[in-house]
């Protein structure tokens, strides 16, 4: 033990000294790591004694050997660039350290040798792929950009490496001068070797046999029998092949419903496939088996998500999918790969849990050939989606049956079958953006569709569901995706009209009023609209007399609702402060935003000072925003609105405005007026002098040059007050009392948000007098 401790101390001292020597020689300072981020002919073969290139066919594998010189020289020759570290000096330095350690420990036990040293350094670095019997394969892909596009000189480089324990993969990307390159380098055990736990490189040499014998070792007896019955044995002996081998259990399950169990041609009694049409059955079996075979050795290290592998049966392909969540699995034509990379002398075997049927039809072809999907075929044609599902891609189609369409309400079914009721959105909701196999559905997950929304997929007690509809047949593979058959039509919110969304959100009072006025049929024809929909609470704030007047006057109700419908369709993010949007009635709706400061704990967006309580309810013909007040069209500017008061509550204010000449100020610009009633002037009427300038200053103290809704007045606590500058350049304090009544200065706002074309009027119960200066 003392010897070991002494040697480690000596080794540390030698490392420190050697690092100092390197730095003096200029070999250590300011050096960049020789990582895979270098993009100089990165994908060219690297010939050296430490690595061996993966070969296809029956070419003999070069025997990997040890050494540094050949690797360095080959690397420099092929890549034609200077290495960041001098491997000669590096090797000599480590050799000096080893020799020094051996001299000091002549009497030490034989545990110290070069292999032990390598293992020790590997454990410290974790770089198992730098050991013996590790082969390297490289690939390069190019992507060019549009030459007609004006671009600036930008050069970007990135490198990402991933270690799975059996494969070390580095992907480097470079973008410069309109050219994008991707280089991929894969380190893995050479064919015939595998890793041993906690050892550098791939040290375990495998006892390889041919593919048929390897399949027998894996207890895939039924697959072997099927191959022998179809005469493919010679192919498997004479060439390199990758086989996707179903388990015996998968074979038994498949042949119970499809073909009889095959019997080898060389079996006793010569009984082969017993069927009415022997030749047809033999051909079908041969096609089935060929659909499991891929030319060459294809290990999982070369798998990519949505990769298509050509099988020996030329029309059929095997689609590879790699999933990370909710669990990490690999599928081949939606069959789960239960074990992989079983090496044979002439190929590789991957075991799957299903028989892979030949895949020759597109997703659309699958729909067209299935009688129970004839309704779906019809509506896909009407929506113009047939071409989409025939072209190359990676789709998942949730296909409702004819019975599913029959379960719809008669009116909805009629609209769908006639191409109405936002048909395209309904169908796009059933098309997922990627191939989603049932094997990855565990518990409850969600995935995106081509409508850019999410579909919930669930697995419960062995049953599969999509947004509540049961998947009655799953994993029907096509050349451009997969089909799952469901027992109900999925109707997303994006497929509803704005009026159906209103019904869904429970806005019954608005719908009742429109029905009474006979407006629903007319409004259903509108498209590309923004609907500001008052909630039931908003209608309850109306006086009974006003509600009766609307019910008795369809014309007034029509104009009221026309003012709630704007064009075009606008999301809340497009309705920023000061934005106006045109209504079909004519007058604009002005948007505003308010944030409580200093902490921004509350954010309110308003339309004509009505707070938006629910936003962005997307429908097929527009978008719905729920508001907490009914929007009333303005009758004119602020002055005209004051004059239109039937009770004459602002006669004294109007007189003073005319006297001071400020009446013109209320006809232009964007203003908020805090309007005292006649009763408010009673308290100070005798104190108001006749000085015109003083009167003018008093009235300007009630005017603010911005739109300020009551929704923008928040309750404050000391020391965080809210103020706004009036036109007399003095500040008004804003707040709310404990009953949530808004206040300005010492006055209560008794009536909020009377809208005018150029601003807002708030009625107050006191005249606002400027505070005297404290100085």
């Amino acid at each position: 033990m003392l010897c070991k401790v002494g040697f480690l101390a000596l080794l540390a001292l030698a490392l420190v000294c050697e690092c100092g020597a390197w730095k003096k020689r200029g070999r250590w300072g300011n050096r960049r790591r020789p990582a895979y981020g270098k993009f100089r002919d990165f994908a060219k073969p690297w010939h050296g004694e430490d690595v061996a290139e993966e070969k296809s066919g029956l070419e003999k594998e070069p025997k990997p050997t040890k050494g540094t010189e050949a690797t360095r020289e080959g690397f420099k020759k092929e890549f034609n660039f200077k290495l960041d570290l001098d491997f000669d000096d590096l090797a000599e330095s480590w050799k000096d350290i080893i020799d020094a350690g051996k001299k000091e420990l002549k009497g030490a036990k034989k545990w110290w040798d070069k292999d032990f040293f390598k293992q020790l350094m590997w454990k410290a670095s974790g770089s198992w792929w730098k050991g013996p019997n590790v082969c390297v394969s490289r690939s390069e892909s190019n992507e060019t950009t549009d030459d007609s596009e004006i671009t600036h000189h930008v050069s970007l480089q990135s490198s990402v490496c991933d270690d799975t324990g059996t494969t070390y993969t580095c992907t480097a990307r470079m973008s410069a001068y309109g050219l994008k390159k991707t280089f991929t380098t894969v380190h893995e055990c050479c064919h015939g070797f595998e890793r041993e736990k906690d050892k550098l490189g791939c040290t375990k040499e495998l006892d390889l046999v041919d593919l048929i014998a390897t399949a027998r070792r894996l207890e895939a007896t039924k697959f072997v029998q099927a191959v022998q019955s179809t005469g493919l044995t010679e192919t498997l002996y004479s060439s390199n092949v990758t086989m996707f081998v179903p388990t015996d259990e998968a074979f038994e399950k498949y042949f119970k419903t499809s073909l009889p169990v095959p019997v080898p041609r060389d079996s006793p009694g010569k009984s082969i496939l017993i069927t009415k049409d022997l030749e047809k059955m033999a051909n079908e079996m041969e096609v089935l088996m060929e659909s499991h075979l891929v030319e060459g050795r294809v290990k999982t290290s070369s798998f990519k998500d949505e990769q298509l592998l050509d099988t020996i049966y030329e029309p059929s392909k095997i689609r590879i999918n790699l999933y990370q969540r909710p669990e990490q699995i690999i599928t081949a034509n939606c069959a789960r790969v239960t074990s992989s990379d079983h090496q044979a002398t002439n190929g590789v075997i991957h075991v799957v849990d299903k028989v892979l049927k030949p895949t020759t039809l597109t997703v659309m072809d699958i729909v067209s050939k299935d009688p129970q999907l004839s309704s779906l075929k019809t509506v896909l044609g009407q929506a113009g989606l047939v071409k989409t599902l025939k072209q190359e891609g990676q789709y998942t189609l949730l296909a409702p049956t004819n019975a599913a369409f029959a379960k719809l309400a008669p009116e909805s079914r009629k609209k769908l079958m006639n191409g109405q009721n936002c048909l395209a959105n309904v169908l796009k909701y059933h098309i997922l953006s990627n191939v989603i196999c049932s094997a990855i559905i565990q518990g409850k997950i969600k995935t995106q569709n081509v409508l850019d929304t999410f579909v919930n997929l669930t697995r419960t007690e062995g049953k599969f569901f999509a947004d509540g509809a049961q998947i009655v047949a799953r994993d029907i593979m096509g050349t451009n995706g997969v089909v799952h058959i469901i027992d109900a039509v999925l109707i997303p919110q994006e497929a509803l009209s704005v009026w159906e969304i209103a019904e869904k959100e429970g806005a019954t009072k608005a719908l009742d009023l429109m029905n009474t006025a006979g407006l629903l049929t007319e409004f259903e024809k509108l498209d590309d609209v923004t609907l500001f929909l008052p909630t039931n609470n908003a209608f309850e704030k109306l006086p009974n007399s006003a509600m009766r007047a609307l019910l008795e006057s369809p014309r007034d109700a029509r104009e009221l609702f026309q003012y709630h419908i704007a064009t075009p369709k606008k999301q809340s993010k497009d309705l920023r402060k000061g934005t106006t949007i045109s209504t079909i009635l004519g007058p604009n709706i002005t948007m505003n935003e308010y944030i409580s400061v200093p902490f921004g704990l509350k954010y309110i967006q308003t339309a004509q000072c009505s707070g938006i309580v629910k936003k962005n309810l997307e429908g097929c013909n527009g978008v719905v925003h729920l508001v907490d007040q009914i929007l009333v069209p303005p009758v004119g500017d602020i002055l005209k609105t004051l004059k239109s008061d039937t009770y004459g509550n602002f006669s004294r204010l109007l007189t003073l405005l005319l006297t001071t000449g400020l009446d013109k100020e209320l006809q232009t610009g964007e203003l908020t007026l805090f309007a005292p009633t006649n009763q408010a002037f009673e308290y100070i009427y005798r104190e108001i002098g006749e000085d015109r300038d003083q009167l003018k200053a008093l009235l300007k103290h009630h005017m603010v040059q911005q739109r300020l809704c009551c929704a923008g007045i928040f309750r404050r606590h000391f020391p965080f007050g809210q103020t706004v500058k009036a036109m007399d350049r003095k500040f008004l304090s804003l707040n709310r009392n404990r009953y949530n009544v808004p206040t300005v200065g010492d006055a209560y706002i008794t009536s909020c948000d009377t809208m005018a074309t150029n601003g807002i009027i708030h009625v107050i119960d006191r005249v606002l007098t400027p505070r005297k200066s404290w100085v």
Side-chain angles (χ1 to χ4, degrees), residues 223-244:
F223 182 82
V224 172
Q225 288 179 3
V227 168
Q228 291 174 338
S229 72
T230 56
L232 290 172
T233 309
E234 184 178 348
T235 302
L236 298 182
Y237 282 130
S238 61
S239 58
N240 273 346
V241 175
T242 298
M243 299 199 309
F244 290 85

Side-chain angles (χ1 to χ4, degrees), residues 365-609:
D365 293 334
I366 293 171
V367 173
S368 299
K369 291 180 178 296
D370 194 334
Q372 66 174 332
L373 301 178
S374 59
S375 296
L376 177 62
K377 177 184 175 182
T378 300
V379 294
L380 285 171
Q382 291 176 342
L385 293 173
V386 171
K387 185 177 179 181
T388 300
L389 296 179
K390 275 184 172 290
Q391 65 189 11
E392 291 184 3
Q394 48 198 42
Y395 304 108
T396 298
L397 175 63
L398 303 173
T401 61
N402 296 342
F405 280 94
K407 289 193 292 187
L408 290 172
E411 188 65 25
S412 298
R413 184 172 66 253
K414 182 180 178 181
K415 288 181 178 179
L416 280 177
M417 299 307 293
N418 291 334
Q420 303 173 15
N421 206 31
C422 311
L423 175 63
N425 283 357
V426 174
L427 296 176
K428 286 179 181 179
Y429 190 79
H430 292 73
I431 304 173
L432 309 184
S433 307
N434 297 95
V435 171
I436 304 298
C437 301
S438 63
I440 195 57
I441 303 176
Q442 304 292 332
K444 185 176 182 180
I445 62 173
K446 64 179 181 180
T447 186
Q448 199 168 23
N449 55 29
V450 297
L451 202 57
D452 289 331
T453 59
F454 287 93
V455 177
N456 293 311
L457 302 174
T458 311
R459 182 176 185 173
T460 305
E461 297 179 354
K463 295 181 179 180
F464 296 83
F465 299 89
D467 272 359
Q470 186 173 349
I471 300 175
V472 294
R474 49 194 166 91
D475 299 331
I476 305 170
M477 289 303 302
T479 56
N480 60 341
V482 65
V483 177
H484 304 303
I485 297 177
I486 57 177
D487 66 353
V489 179
L490 309 179
I491 306 294
Q493 179 173 285
E494 291 76 9
L496 302 176
S497 69
V498 291
W499 310 112
E500 289 170 324
I501 292 174
E503 184 177 1
K504 182 180 176 181
E505 292 297 323
T508 54
K509 292 187 181 296
L511 292 173
D512 290 344
L513 184 58
M514 283 190 286
N515 270 325
T516 303
L519 303 174
L520 270 182
T521 304
E522 178 184 346
F523 286 169
E524 277 185 348
K525 299 177 183 178
L526 297 174
D527 194 22
D528 193 28
V529 298
T530 301
L531 173 63
F532 296 96
L533 181 66
T535 62
N536 287 346
N537 289 336
F539 279 97
E540 289 172 1
K541 295 176 185 178
L542 281 180
N544 292 334
S545 57
M547 193 66 183
R548 281 196 302 270
L550 288 173
L551 291 172
E552 293 171 359
S553 175
R555 180 180 177 181
D556 291 342
R558 176 191 177 86
E559 290 183 356
L560 179 69
F561 280 108
Q562 282 181 331
Y563 188 62
H564 287 75
I565 303 171
T567 56
K569 179 172 70 175
K570 293 281 188 180
Q571 296 281 344
S572 62
K573 62 183 176 64
D574 302 320
L575 300 174
R576 295 304 185 189
K577 184 175 182 178
T579 303
T580 59
I581 183 169
S582 301
T583 66
I584 62 175
L585 180 64
N588 293 338
I589 292 175
T590 302
M591 307 300 300
N592 255 307
E593 297 172 298
Y594 303 99
I595 304 175
S596 63
V597 291
F599 304 115
L601 299 177
K602 193 172 184 181
Y603 169 80
I604 295 176
Q605 194 172 25
T606 64
Q608 288 294 91
C609 284

Side-chain angles (χ1 to χ4, degrees), residues 633-649:
V635 297
D637 57 43
I638 292 177
L639 185 65
K640 185 177 180 179
T641 303
L642 289 174
K643 290 179 179 179
S644 66
D645 180 56
T646 55
Y647 299 101
N649 286 323

